[in-house]
Structures are given as C-alpha cells and as structure tokens.
Amino acid sequence: MAKADKYICECKAVFPSEVAIAIKKKNARTLFDIQNLTKASTGCGRCKTQLLMLIESEIKRNDKAGKQLKINF
C-alpha cells in the first residue's frame, strides 16, 4: 500500500486526495468547507491537526500553480 493510499480521516474513510480535490475543484478554503464536502474530521477529531496542515499545503500548492479562486454568483 502506497503512502498516498492512507486515510487522512479513518472515521469517515477520507483520503488526502479527496481533500485536494475539494480544494482544487470545489474551492474549499477552510476546515469547515472540507468538513462539509468530505465529512473528514467530523468523527473523533484525531485527524484535525493533520487535516489543517494538508489544507494549508494544498492551498499554497494551488496558489503557486496560478489557480484563481472561482466565485459563483
């Protein structure tokens, strides 16, 4: 099993790639956004710190890649 195949949230069976997709394609920017979109960190909460670090790094990665924030009116 590759490192990328490990859950970031075991309670809700959420992979890091699901969080990255929520950030990239659904414009999630906060822990609350990720919780609503993926249900990660809505169980026991042990993954919250790791999830926050992942959110921050994915947002930085997307910003460096020149991704624009899409606002739907």
Side-chain angles (χ1 to χ4, degrees):
M1 180 180 285
K3 188 175 183 180
D5 293 333
K6 294 176 85 176
Y7 293 122
I8 189 155
C9 177
E10 292 183 17
C11 294
K12 301 297 179 177
V14 179
F15 290 105
S17 59
E18 293 175 80
V19 174
I21 290 168
I23 292 168
K24 186 181 280 187
K25 295 188 178 183
K26 298 182 181 177
N27 300 314
R29 304 298 278 183
T30 65
L31 176 64
F32 185 71
D33 292 340
I34 296 298
Q35 288 173 324
N36 284 328
L37 292 168
T38 68
K39 303 304 180 215
S41 192
T42 60
C44 73
R46 286 185 302 155
C47 61
K48 184 178 178 182
T49 302
Q50 187 177 9
L51 184 59
L52 286 168
M53 291 188 304
L54 177 61
I55 293 167
E56 183 179 344
S57 68
E58 284 298 321
I59 289 173
K60 283 181 184 178
R61 180 179 304 153
N62 285 337
D63 289 348
K64 283 183 181 178
K67 305 287 185 210
Q68 285 185 307
L69 179 63
K70 182 171 58 174
I71 301 173
N72 297 322
F73 291 97

